[in-house]
């Protein structure tokens, strides 16, 4: 769902780039902020969930506009995304969640979401090529 929404606003290649960049942000957060050893075991981070959190953030932020339909979509999705991010932060602060002896990389989820926010912010600072063409 969120990938399709990003693809609608950014195109197919935009979706691929957003996915890869937010995955890199999630991996960087896990690498730098996750402890290397937990309870005597080396930690390894694996999965795509950090990039999914990045897609969450990008899909909501690109929907925020003065168009009433897009604004309503952004608010509804934003509510879901904010709740998910807050749950991840709360789980991380509480020491994390283990499932079947495996630790969930909450910090990677938060890193992916932050990478999505930063990506949208950075892209908003670039000049609009359509505005130049219409002059």
């Amino acid at each position: 769902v969120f990938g399709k929404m990003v693809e609608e606003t950014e195109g197919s290649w935009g979706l691929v780039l957003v996915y890869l960049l937010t995955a890199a942000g999630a991996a960087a957060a896990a690498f730098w902020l996750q402890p290397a050893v937990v309870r005597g075991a080396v930690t390894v981070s694996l999965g795509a969930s950090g990039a999914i959190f990045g897609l969450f953030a990008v899909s909501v932020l690109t929907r925020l506009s003065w168009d009433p339909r897009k604004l309503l979509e952004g608010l509804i999705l934003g509510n879901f995304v904010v709740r998910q991010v807050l749950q991840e932060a709360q789980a991380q602060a509480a020491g994390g969640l283990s499932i079947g002896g495996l630790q969930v990389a909450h910090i990677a989820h938060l890193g992916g979401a932050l990478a999505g926010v930063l990506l949208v912010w950075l892209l908003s600072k670039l000049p609009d090529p359509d505005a130049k063409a219409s002059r």
Side-chain angles (χ1 to χ4, degrees), residues 123-134:
L123 290 176
S124 74
K125 299 298 178 191
L126 293 176
D128 185 3
D130 294 333
K132 215 177 206 182
S134 65

Side-chain angles (χ1 to χ4, degrees), residues 53 56-57 80-90 109-110 113:
F53 271 79
F56 284 175
F80 168 77
V81 170
V82 167
R83 279 188 294 146
Q84 291 301 115
V85 169
L86 290 175
Q87 285 176 358
E88 292 299 316
Q90 184 179 29
H109 298 167
L110 296 170

Side-chain angles (χ1 to χ4, degrees), residues 17-36:
L17 287 173
V18 166
Y19 183 86
L20 293 174
L21 290 171
T22 57
F31 180 77
W32 283 313
L33 301 173
Q34 200 168 278

